[in-house]
Amino acid sequence: MTSDNQQVVFSGVQPSGNLTIGNYLGAIRNFAAFSEAYKCYYCVVDMHAITVRQVPAELRRRTYETLALYIACGLDPNKNTLYVQSHVPAHAELAWILNCYTMFGELSRMTQFKDKSAKHADNVNAGLFTYPTLMAADILLYQTDRVPVGVDQQQHIEIARDIAVRFNGVYGDTFTVPEGIISEHGKKIMSLADPTKKMSKSDENVNAVVYILDNKDDILRKFRRAVTDSDTVVRFGEGKDGINNLMTIYSCFTDKSMEEIEREFDGRGYGDFKSAVGEVCADALAPVRAEFDRLMADKAYLEDVMQKGAQDAAYNARKTLSKVKRKVGFTTL
Ligand code: ATP
Ligand code: LTN
């Protein structure tokens, strides 16, 4: 909560690849709804992105792109604080302090750490391990009440809560204990090539993933090739991971219930259904792409947004950071 009693929302997206419809439906699309009633911070978390090796020029470009996508997806920079994590040093400072209040054992249990260290076995670095403490710092710095994310981040929200409660227990009320907001709809969009796996922007198989910025032909083609099953009936149910995923995506874009979708495609095959999913997805994303192209052509504007966002974030982060430093016993000059 802010000092004038406004509730706070914080979320972040890594500029670690081209954003997917998983990022869109599970996270970004839900952000704008908070802008009126809450003080909202939406951060491009470049410091998290380097826990996996990045090509510097690509990281820089994607940082701009992620910010442009925030705006293209409806986040008004005048109503939300949009900024880049590395522009606000308080994140790194608080992360170090919180590292000293986070247990080795609890970080070892994080499934994202286990997955990513298996995937990048040649680079299991300390940053990958302490990723959740940096995320806790992001959230706790702003006295955040709510954190809208996809379901894969639930465990990280839990650890942020545990760290806040632990710190408050030792030093008295310091941090607001945040709550995750995981929308029932679209909380976990699955890969089109392997519907038992989360759709992920760092997947090497570009056909497994629909990117927010894909053109209509690519979107239609990817959905047509999506892995399904040998059944022919469009029905939500067990053993139908591929169809369940496509129905979820269709439902997210049309607001239709599973029953309505089953009725709509009654007597029609998978081919028809896949084309329909591709059409609604492409139609919904077309305006986002157009706005994105317009914004990317105006770097100066994006830099102005980054600059103002970082200034506002740094000002508010400093309040919490000073309090924390005082509580742990650091001297001040
Ligand atoms: P990476 O592949 O680099 O780990 P990612 O695609 O998982 O990246 P993040 O930047 O880690 O994306 O996630 C940004 C937000 O998008 C988070 O709130 C996350 O929960 C959400 N998200 C990511 N993938 C999905 C998905 N497949 N379905 C729903 N939400 C998702
Ligand atoms: N770890 C998140 C990105 C992230 C985040 C945050 C999300 C970093 N800091 C703070 C919410 C709040 C992910 O999606 N992989």
Side-chain angles (χ1 to χ4, degrees), residues 10-14 45 48 85 112 116 131 134-135 138-139 147-149 152-153 156-157:
F10 185 100
S11 198
V13 175
Q14 302 182 72
V45 290
H48 278 107
Q85 188 184 33
Q112 182 177 295
K116 293 225 166 164
Y131 181 112
L134 177 58
M135 180 160 160
D138 297 341
I139 298 168
V147 188
V149 281
D152 61 307
Q153 294 303 309
H156 289 162
I157 307 282

Side-chain angles (χ1 to χ4, degrees), residues 51-79:
T51 55
V52 167
R53 199 69 74 227
Q54 302 290 337
V55 176
E58 283 181 14
L59 179 63
R60 205 165 289 124
R61 175 173 51 79
R62 286 182 172 140
T63 300
Y64 280 89
E65 288 178 353
T66 307
L67 183 75
L69 264 181
Y70 275 167
I71 303 169
C73 290
L75 295 177
D76 178 346
N78 295 316
K79 294 187 182 153

